[in-house]
Amino acid sequence: MAVNFNNETDQVNITVPAPISVSLTNPKSVSVSITDKGRKGDTGATGATGPQGIQGIQGESGTNGTNGTNGTNGQDGADGADGQDGADGTDGTFQLEDGDGTEVTIGNGKEVKFVEGSGIDINWTDTSNGTDGDPYDLTFTVDHDAAANFVAEEHYRWDNDISGTATIHANNVPTLGSSNQTLAGDRTITTGGNDLSVAMTSGDSFEVKEGSNNLLSVSSNGMLKQAGNYPLNISMITSGALYSTADQRFFPLGSSTTPSTIITRPEDHVARFSAPFNGKLLRIVCEFGLSDPGSTVVGFHKAAHAASLSTTASASVTVSPGGFTSSITTPTVFDFEAESTDFDAGDVLAFSFDATNTAYYVAVTIVLALDPSNNY
């Protein structure tokens, strides 16, 4: 409030309502102080609970003094805190274990694959709906003819599947080549019209024994033997001759005569014979008299016809006899069992002798193994 004074007036009286006071501080000025504000405006209404209410409007000015600022609207009640989201569920996991106990953990996003093996085909055959009434179908198809699968008599194992008499498919016996087998009962091998072959490598043999006694055996070179390890159907031919020169001669067979240097002429019949059956030369045993023949070659000769015989042996063995006592050697064995000396029925055979030194008197035994089974 301002009050103006005239120069002629030194004092003025001002009537003001309480609580306003006026004091004169100078003949020409008045100081007015207001010791109370105008009335306080009405308090704004409390806002409704809900979103925060807007601020109340300012109260109107008082008539004489500036109205006090309206009281602030009461704040809305705070919204209740949102309920916390449920914690994310932990990704589920499970374990798979194989036949020997190895385990793997299958987690979210991981895959398991069924791997097909020999004779096993794995396929999804129904991929809807996955419900209890219509589950997904995973089909395992097994080829029972696969070598790794053992089904019924087609794949019986002799070492643990058979306890009595059984029929075994000849081409599906998995353990015959793995180790010795002891049978707990009778066994019948049915070939169904097919040949049954026993395959052997060099040096192997197929044997039938009673305890430790070898009743029958067949070696990989075709030698058939019986009890005592002797070849079946042994045949022996003896010969004796005087060898007055140190060159190749042919043993006379079954006679004592001067050995011939030729075997193809009719008169050389004493030095050859025709094989009655299929067979094999096993050995020739020689006894030398009068002198040491030194390194000696004994040969085996074979041809389909006498006129085709050659002085070159198809198989030969070289031995140095020695061991003279009273000018007679102990018998010397020329072993042909490991040599290629097989022959067929009807082949013409001859046997030669070629010593480094003049042998003179020689007694000879020729041992053959004959197989008459297919030649009757």
Short mmCIF file of all heavy atoms in Angstrom, two decimals, residues 73-130:
data_model
loop_
_atom_site.label_atom_id
_atom_site.label_comp_id
_atom_site.label_asym_id
_atom_site.label_seq_id
_atom_site.Cartn_x
_atom_site.Cartn_y
_atom_site.Cartn_z
N ASN A 73 -3.84 -30.38 -3.14
CA ASN A 73 -4.79 -31.50 -3.06
C ASN A 73 -4.13 -32.70 -2.41
O ASN A 73 -2.97 -32.99 -2.63
CB ASN A 73 -5.27 -31.90 -4.46
CG ASN A 73 -6.19 -30.85 -5.06
OD1 ASN A 73 -6.71 -29.96 -4.36
ND2 ASN A 73 -6.41 -30.93 -6.36
N GLY A 74 -4.90 -33.36 -1.62
CA GLY A 74 -4.36 -34.60 -1.05
C GLY A 74 -3.96 -35.56 -2.18
O GLY A 74 -4.66 -35.68 -3.17
N GLN A 75 -2.82 -36.19 -2.02
CA GLN A 75 -2.36 -37.12 -3.06
C GLN A 75 -3.25 -38.37 -3.12
O GLN A 75 -3.74 -38.84 -2.11
CB GLN A 75 -0.91 -37.59 -2.79
CG GLN A 75 0.11 -36.47 -2.93
CD GLN A 75 1.51 -36.99 -2.73
OE1 GLN A 75 1.67 -38.02 -2.11
NE2 GLN A 75 2.48 -36.23 -3.21
N ASP A 76 -3.43 -38.84 -4.34
CA ASP A 76 -4.18 -40.09 -4.48
C ASP A 76 -3.48 -41.20 -3.72
O ASP A 76 -2.24 -41.25 -3.66
CB ASP A 76 -4.28 -40.50 -5.95
CG ASP A 76 -5.12 -39.50 -6.73
OD1 ASP A 76 -5.90 -38.79 -6.11
OD2 ASP A 76 -4.97 -39.47 -7.99
N GLY A 77 -4.24 -42.09 -3.21
CA GLY A 77 -3.61 -43.26 -2.60
C GLY A 77 -2.77 -44.00 -3.64
O GLY A 77 -3.16 -44.14 -4.80
N ALA A 78 -1.59 -44.40 -3.23
CA ALA A 78 -0.69 -45.09 -4.20
C ALA A 78 -1.34 -46.36 -4.70
O ALA A 78 -2.00 -47.08 -3.95
CB ALA A 78 0.64 -45.39 -3.53
N ASP A 79 -1.16 -46.59 -6.00
CA ASP A 79 -1.65 -47.86 -6.56
C ASP A 79 -0.98 -49.02 -5.85
O ASP A 79 0.21 -48.97 -5.51
CB ASP A 79 -1.34 -47.95 -8.05
CG ASP A 79 -2.15 -46.93 -8.85
OD1 ASP A 79 -3.17 -46.46 -8.30
OD2 ASP A 79 -1.75 -46.64 -10.00
N GLY A 80 -1.74 -50.05 -5.63
CA GLY A 80 -1.11 -51.25 -5.06
C GLY A 80 -0.02 -51.76 -5.99
O GLY A 80 -0.12 -51.69 -7.21
N ALA A 81 1.06 -52.22 -5.39
CA ALA A 81 2.17 -52.73 -6.22
C ALA A 81 1.71 -53.91 -7.07
O ALA A 81 0.91 -54.73 -6.62
CB ALA A 81 3.32 -53.15 -5.31
N ASP A 82 2.16 -53.91 -8.32
CA ASP A 82 1.84 -55.04 -9.18
C ASP A 82 2.34 -56.33 -8.56
O ASP A 82 3.44 -56.37 -8.00
CB ASP A 82 2.47 -54.88 -10.56
CG ASP A 82 1.85 -53.72 -11.32
OD1 ASP A 82 0.71 -53.34 -10.96
OD2 ASP A 82 2.51 -53.21 -12.25
N GLY A 83 1.54 -57.37 -8.66
CA GLY A 83 2.04 -58.66 -8.19
C GLY A 83 3.26 -59.08 -9.00
O GLY A 83 3.34 -58.83 -10.20
N GLN A 84 4.25 -59.67 -8.34
CA GLN A 84 5.47 -60.08 -9.06
C GLN A 84 5.13 -61.19 -10.04
O GLN A 84 4.32 -62.08 -9.76
CB GLN A 84 6.52 -60.59 -8.08
CG GLN A 84 7.10 -59.49 -7.19
CD GLN A 84 8.18 -60.04 -6.30
OE1 GLN A 84 8.24 -61.22 -6.07
NE2 GLN A 84 9.01 -59.15 -5.79
N ASP A 85 5.79 -61.10 -11.21
CA ASP A 85 5.63 -62.18 -12.18
C ASP A 85 6.13 -63.49 -11.57
O ASP A 85 7.14 -63.51 -10.86
CB ASP A 85 6.43 -61.92 -13.47
CG ASP A 85 5.86 -60.73 -14.23
OD1 ASP A 85 4.67 -60.40 -13.99
OD2 ASP A 85 6.60 -60.14 -15.04
N GLY A 86 5.42 -64.55 -11.85
CA GLY A 86 5.92 -65.84 -11.38
C GLY A 86 7.30 -66.10 -11.98
O GLY A 86 7.57 -65.77 -13.13
N ALA A 87 8.22 -66.65 -11.18
CA ALA A 87 9.57 -66.95 -11.68
C ALA A 87 9.50 -67.92 -12.85
O ALA A 87 8.67 -68.83 -12.87
CB ALA A 87 10.41 -67.54 -10.54
N ASP A 88 10.33 -67.68 -13.86
CA ASP A 88 10.37 -68.60 -15.00
C ASP A 88 10.66 -70.00 -14.49
O ASP A 88 11.54 -70.22 -13.65
CB ASP A 88 11.47 -68.19 -15.99
CG ASP A 88 11.11 -66.88 -16.68
OD1 ASP A 88 9.92 -66.53 -16.68
OD2 ASP A 88 12.03 -66.23 -17.23
N GLY A 89 9.91 -70.93 -15.00
CA GLY A 89 10.18 -72.31 -14.61
C GLY A 89 11.55 -72.74 -15.09
O GLY A 89 12.00 -72.34 -16.17
N THR A 90 12.26 -73.53 -14.31
CA THR A 90 13.58 -74.05 -14.72
C THR A 90 13.40 -75.01 -15.89
O THR A 90 12.50 -75.84 -15.88
CB THR A 90 14.25 -74.81 -13.56
OG1 THR A 90 14.37 -73.94 -12.46
CG2 THR A 90 15.62 -75.35 -13.97
N ASP A 91 14.24 -74.88 -16.93
CA ASP A 91 14.16 -75.78 -18.08
C ASP A 91 14.27 -77.21 -17.59
O ASP A 91 15.19 -77.56 -16.85
CB ASP A 91 15.29 -75.49 -19.08
CG ASP A 91 15.08 -74.14 -19.76
OD1 ASP A 91 13.94 -73.67 -19.75
OD2 ASP A 91 16.06 -73.58 -20.30
N GLY A 92 13.37 -78.07 -18.03
CA GLY A 92 13.40 -79.46 -17.60
C GLY A 92 14.56 -80.22 -18.22
O GLY A 92 14.95 -79.97 -19.35
N THR A 93 15.16 -81.17 -17.52
CA THR A 93 16.21 -82.05 -18.04
C THR A 93 15.88 -83.47 -17.62
O THR A 93 15.10 -83.70 -16.70
CB THR A 93 17.60 -81.68 -17.49
OG1 THR A 93 17.60 -81.84 -16.06
CG2 THR A 93 17.98 -80.26 -17.86
N PHE A 94 16.46 -84.44 -18.35
CA PHE A 94 16.34 -85.83 -17.95
C PHE A 94 17.56 -86.58 -18.43
O PHE A 94 18.36 -86.06 -19.23
CB PHE A 94 15.05 -86.47 -18.51
CG PHE A 94 15.00 -86.54 -20.01
CD1 PHE A 94 15.37 -87.70 -20.68
CD2 PHE A 94 14.57 -85.45 -20.76
CE1 PHE A 94 15.32 -87.78 -22.05
CE2 PHE A 94 14.52 -85.52 -22.14
CZ PHE A 94 14.90 -86.69 -22.80
N GLN A 95 17.77 -87.79 -17.92
CA GLN A 95 18.95 -88.57 -18.24
C GLN A 95 18.57 -89.77 -19.11
O GLN A 95 17.51 -90.37 -18.92
CB GLN A 95 19.64 -89.09 -16.96
CG GLN A 95 20.55 -88.07 -16.28
CD GLN A 95 19.79 -86.92 -15.68
OE1 GLN A 95 18.76 -87.12 -15.07
NE2 GLN A 95 20.30 -85.72 -15.83
N LEU A 96 19.47 -90.09 -20.04
CA LEU A 96 19.38 -91.33 -20.81
C LEU A 96 20.62 -92.16 -20.49
O LEU A 96 21.73 -91.63 -20.43
CB LEU A 96 19.31 -91.06 -22.31
CG LEU A 96 17.98 -90.55 -22.87
CD1 LEU A 96 18.10 -90.34 -24.36
CD2 LEU A 96 16.85 -91.52 -22.56
N GLU A 97 20.43 -93.45 -20.31
CA GLU A 97 21.55 -94.35 -19.97
C GLU A 97 21.59 -95.48 -20.97
O GLU A 97 20.56 -96.08 -21.32
CB GLU A 97 21.35 -94.91 -18.55
CG GLU A 97 22.48 -95.83 -18.10
CD GLU A 97 22.31 -96.28 -16.67
OE1 GLU A 97 21.51 -95.64 -15.94
OE2 GLU A 97 22.94 -97.26 -16.28
N ASP A 98 22.80 -95.78 -21.47
CA ASP A 98 22.92 -96.88 -22.43
C ASP A 98 23.13 -98.21 -21.71
O ASP A 98 23.12 -98.28 -20.48
CB ASP A 98 24.05 -96.61 -23.45
CG ASP A 98 25.42 -96.56 -22.82
OD1 ASP A 98 25.55 -96.95 -21.65
OD2 ASP A 98 26.38 -96.14 -23.51
N GLY A 99 23.33 -99.27 -22.49
CA GLY A 99 23.40 -100.60 -21.92
C GLY A 99 24.55 -100.84 -20.98
O GLY A 99 24.45 -101.67 -20.07
N ASP A 100 25.68 -100.15 -21.17
CA ASP A 100 26.81 -100.38 -20.28
C ASP A 100 26.93 -99.32 -19.19
O ASP A 100 27.97 -99.22 -18.53
CB ASP A 100 28.12 -100.47 -21.07
CG ASP A 100 28.45 -99.20 -21.84
OD1 ASP A 100 27.72 -98.20 -21.65
OD2 ASP A 100 29.40 -99.21 -22.64
N GLY A 101 25.88 -98.50 -19.00
CA GLY A 101 25.84 -97.58 -17.86
C GLY A 101 26.26 -96.16 -18.13
O GLY A 101 26.24 -95.33 -17.23
N THR A 102 26.64 -95.82 -19.38
CA THR A 102 27.01 -94.44 -19.69
C THR A 102 25.76 -93.56 -19.75
O THR A 102 24.80 -93.92 -20.43
CB THR A 102 27.76 -94.37 -21.03
OG1 THR A 102 28.91 -95.21 -20.96
CG2 THR A 102 28.20 -92.94 -21.33
N GLU A 103 25.78 -92.43 -19.01
CA GLU A 103 24.62 -91.55 -18.95
C GLU A 103 24.91 -90.21 -19.64
O GLU A 103 26.03 -89.71 -19.58
CB GLU A 103 24.21 -91.28 -17.50
CG GLU A 103 23.67 -92.50 -16.77
CD GLU A 103 23.16 -92.14 -15.38
OE1 GLU A 103 23.40 -90.98 -14.96
OE2 GLU A 103 22.54 -92.99 -14.75
N VAL A 104 23.89 -89.63 -20.27
CA VAL A 104 23.96 -88.28 -20.80
C VAL A 104 22.73 -87.51 -20.31
O VAL A 104 21.65 -88.10 -20.11
CB VAL A 104 24.02 -88.25 -22.34
CG1 VAL A 104 25.32 -88.84 -22.83
CG2 VAL A 104 22.83 -88.98 -22.95
N THR A 105 22.90 -86.19 -20.04
CA THR A 105 21.79 -85.34 -19.60
C THR A 105 21.20 -84.64 -20.82
O THR A 105 21.92 -83.99 -21.58
CB THR A 105 22.29 -84.30 -18.58
OG1 THR A 105 22.81 -85.00 -17.45
CG2 THR A 105 21.14 -83.40 -18.16
N ILE A 106 19.92 -84.76 -21.00
CA ILE A 106 19.22 -84.15 -22.14
C ILE A 106 18.54 -82.89 -21.63
O ILE A 106 17.64 -82.96 -20.79
CB ILE A 106 18.19 -85.11 -22.74
CG1 ILE A 106 18.83 -86.49 -23.00
CG2 ILE A 106 17.64 -84.53 -24.03
CD1 ILE A 106 20.02 -86.45 -23.92
N GLY A 107 19.00 -81.72 -22.09
CA GLY A 107 18.45 -80.44 -21.68
C GLY A 107 17.62 -79.79 -22.78
O GLY A 107 17.48 -80.32 -23.90
N ASN A 108 17.09 -78.58 -22.47
CA ASN A 108 16.27 -77.84 -23.42
C ASN A 108 17.05 -77.57 -24.70
O ASN A 108 18.20 -77.13 -24.67
CB ASN A 108 15.81 -76.53 -22.78
CG ASN A 108 14.87 -75.76 -23.68
OD1 ASN A 108 14.05 -76.36 -24.36
ND2 ASN A 108 14.97 -74.44 -23.66
N GLY A 109 16.45 -77.85 -25.84
CA GLY A 109 17.09 -77.58 -27.11
C GLY A 109 18.04 -78.66 -27.58
O GLY A 109 18.63 -78.55 -28.66
N LYS A 110 18.24 -79.71 -26.78
CA LYS A 110 19.15 -80.79 -27.17
C LYS A 110 18.36 -81.88 -27.90
O LYS A 110 17.16 -82.03 -27.72
CB LYS A 110 19.86 -81.39 -25.95
CG LYS A 110 20.67 -80.36 -25.16
CD LYS A 110 21.77 -79.74 -26.00
CE LYS A 110 22.61 -78.75 -25.20
NZ LYS A 110 23.64 -78.10 -26.01
N GLU A 111 19.08 -82.65 -28.71
CA GLU A 111 18.43 -83.69 -29.51
C GLU A 111 19.08 -85.05 -29.23
O GLU A 111 20.26 -85.12 -28.92
CB GLU A 111 18.55 -83.39 -31.01
CG GLU A 111 17.82 -82.12 -31.43
CD GLU A 111 17.89 -81.92 -32.94
OE1 GLU A 111 18.58 -82.72 -33.62
OE2 GLU A 111 17.26 -80.98 -33.44
N VAL A 112 18.30 -86.10 -29.35
CA VAL A 112 18.78 -87.48 -29.26
C VAL A 112 18.54 -88.14 -30.60
O VAL A 112 17.45 -88.04 -31.16
CB VAL A 112 18.04 -88.27 -28.15
CG1 VAL A 112 18.49 -89.73 -28.16
CG2 VAL A 112 18.31 -87.64 -26.80
N LYS A 113 19.58 -88.80 -31.13
CA LYS A 113 19.45 -89.46 -32.43
C LYS A 113 19.56 -90.97 -32.25
O LYS A 113 20.45 -91.46 -31.56
CB LYS A 113 20.54 -88.98 -33.39
CG LYS A 113 20.46 -89.64 -34.77
CD LYS A 113 21.52 -89.10 -35.71
CE LYS A 113 21.43 -89.76 -37.09
NZ LYS A 113 22.45 -89.24 -38.02
N PHE A 114 18.66 -91.71 -32.88
CA PHE A 114 18.75 -93.17 -32.91
C PHE A 114 19.56 -93.54 -34.16
O PHE A 114 19.13 -93.28 -35.29
CB PHE A 114 17.36 -93.79 -32.98
CG PHE A 114 16.57 -93.62 -31.70
CD1 PHE A 114 15.82 -92.48 -31.49
CD2 PHE A 114 16.60 -94.59 -30.72
CE1 PHE A 114 15.10 -92.31 -30.31
CE2 PHE A 114 15.89 -94.44 -29.55
CZ PHE A 114 15.14 -93.29 -29.34
N VAL A 115 20.73 -94.11 -33.95
CA VAL A 115 21.64 -94.42 -35.05
C VAL A 115 21.38 -95.83 -35.55
O VAL A 115 21.38 -96.79 -34.77
CB VAL A 115 23.11 -94.28 -34.60
CG1 VAL A 115 24.06 -94.60 -35.76
CG2 VAL A 115 23.37 -92.86 -34.10
N GLU A 116 21.18 -95.96 -36.84
CA GLU A 116 20.94 -97.28 -37.42
C GLU A 116 22.23 -98.09 -37.46
O GLU A 116 23.31 -97.55 -37.67
CB GLU A 116 20.37 -97.14 -38.83
CG GLU A 116 18.99 -96.45 -38.84
CD GLU A 116 18.49 -96.23 -40.26
OE1 GLU A 116 19.28 -96.43 -41.20
OE2 GLU A 116 17.29 -95.88 -40.42
N GLY A 117 22.11 -99.39 -37.23
CA GLY A 117 23.26 -100.29 -37.27
C GLY A 117 23.07 -101.35 -38.33
O GLY A 117 22.14 -101.30 -39.15
N SER A 118 23.96 -102.33 -38.32
CA SER A 118 23.89 -103.40 -39.31
C SER A 118 22.58 -104.16 -39.16
O SER A 118 22.28 -104.71 -38.10
CB SER A 118 25.08 -104.35 -39.10
OG SER A 118 24.98 -105.46 -39.97
N GLY A 119 21.78 -104.17 -40.21
CA GLY A 119 20.54 -104.90 -40.21
C GLY A 119 19.41 -104.25 -39.44
O GLY A 119 18.37 -104.87 -39.22
N ILE A 120 19.58 -102.98 -38.98
CA ILE A 120 18.54 -102.29 -38.21
C ILE A 120 18.19 -100.98 -38.91
O ILE A 120 19.05 -100.15 -39.16
CB ILE A 120 19.01 -102.00 -36.77
CG1 ILE A 120 19.32 -103.31 -36.04
CG2 ILE A 120 17.95 -101.22 -36.01
CD1 ILE A 120 19.83 -103.11 -34.63
N ASP A 121 16.89 -100.81 -39.24
CA ASP A 121 16.39 -99.60 -39.91
C ASP A 121 15.43 -98.91 -38.96
O ASP A 121 14.48 -99.53 -38.46
CB ASP A 121 15.69 -99.99 -41.22
CG ASP A 121 15.29 -98.77 -42.02
OD1 ASP A 121 16.00 -97.76 -41.95
OD2 ASP A 121 14.27 -98.83 -42.73
N ILE A 122 15.65 -97.61 -38.64
CA ILE A 122 14.85 -96.87 -37.65
C ILE A 122 14.16 -95.70 -38.35
O ILE A 122 14.83 -94.87 -38.98
CB ILE A 122 15.74 -96.35 -36.51
CG1 ILE A 122 16.53 -97.50 -35.88
CG2 ILE A 122 14.89 -95.64 -35.46
CD1 ILE A 122 17.54 -97.05 -34.86
N ASN A 123 12.82 -95.61 -38.23
CA ASN A 123 12.07 -94.55 -38.90
C ASN A 123 10.87 -94.14 -38.05
O ASN A 123 10.26 -94.97 -37.35
CB ASN A 123 11.56 -95.01 -40.27
CG ASN A 123 12.66 -95.12 -41.30
OD1 ASN A 123 13.27 -94.14 -41.70
ND2 ASN A 123 12.94 -96.35 -41.72
N TRP A 124 10.52 -92.82 -38.11
CA TRP A 124 9.24 -92.37 -37.57
C TRP A 124 8.16 -92.84 -38.54
O TRP A 124 8.20 -92.52 -39.73
CB TRP A 124 9.20 -90.86 -37.44
CG TRP A 124 10.07 -90.29 -36.36
CD1 TRP A 124 11.22 -89.60 -36.51
CD2 TRP A 124 9.84 -90.39 -34.95
NE1 TRP A 124 11.74 -89.26 -35.30
CE2 TRP A 124 10.91 -89.73 -34.30
CE3 TRP A 124 8.84 -90.98 -34.18
CZ2 TRP A 124 11.00 -89.64 -32.93
CZ3 TRP A 124 8.93 -90.88 -32.80
CH2 TRP A 124 10.00 -90.22 -32.18
N THR A 125 7.18 -93.59 -38.04
CA THR A 125 6.11 -94.08 -38.91
C THR A 125 4.77 -93.43 -38.59
O THR A 125 3.79 -93.67 -39.29
CB THR A 125 5.99 -95.61 -38.77
OG1 THR A 125 5.87 -95.96 -37.38
CG2 THR A 125 7.23 -96.29 -39.34
N ASP A 126 4.71 -92.61 -37.51
CA ASP A 126 3.51 -91.83 -37.19
C ASP A 126 3.95 -90.61 -36.39
O ASP A 126 4.44 -90.75 -35.28
CB ASP A 126 2.52 -92.68 -36.38
CG ASP A 126 1.23 -91.91 -36.08
OD1 ASP A 126 1.11 -90.75 -36.54
OD2 ASP A 126 0.37 -92.47 -35.39
N THR A 127 3.79 -89.43 -36.98
CA THR A 127 4.25 -88.20 -36.31
C THR A 127 3.09 -87.31 -35.88
O THR A 127 3.22 -86.10 -35.74
CB THR A 127 5.20 -87.42 -37.23
OG1 THR A 127 4.55 -87.15 -38.48
CG2 THR A 127 6.47 -88.22 -37.48
N SER A 128 1.89 -87.87 -35.69
CA SER A 128 0.75 -87.15 -35.12
C SER A 128 0.04 -88.08 -34.14
O SER A 128 0.11 -89.29 -34.29
CB SER A 128 -0.21 -86.72 -36.24
OG SER A 128 -0.79 -87.89 -36.84
N ASN A 129 -0.63 -87.59 -33.13
CA ASN A 129 -0.71 -86.23 -32.63
C ASN A 129 0.16 -86.08 -31.38
O ASN A 129 0.23 -85.03 -30.77
CB ASN A 129 -2.17 -85.87 -32.26
CG ASN A 129 -3.08 -85.84 -33.46
OD1 ASN A 129 -2.68 -85.34 -34.49
ND2 ASN A 129 -4.28 -86.36 -33.32
N GLY A 130 0.72 -87.18 -30.95
CA GLY A 130 1.53 -87.16 -29.74
C GLY A 130 0.70 -87.23 -28.47
O GLY A 130 1.20 -86.95 -27.39
#
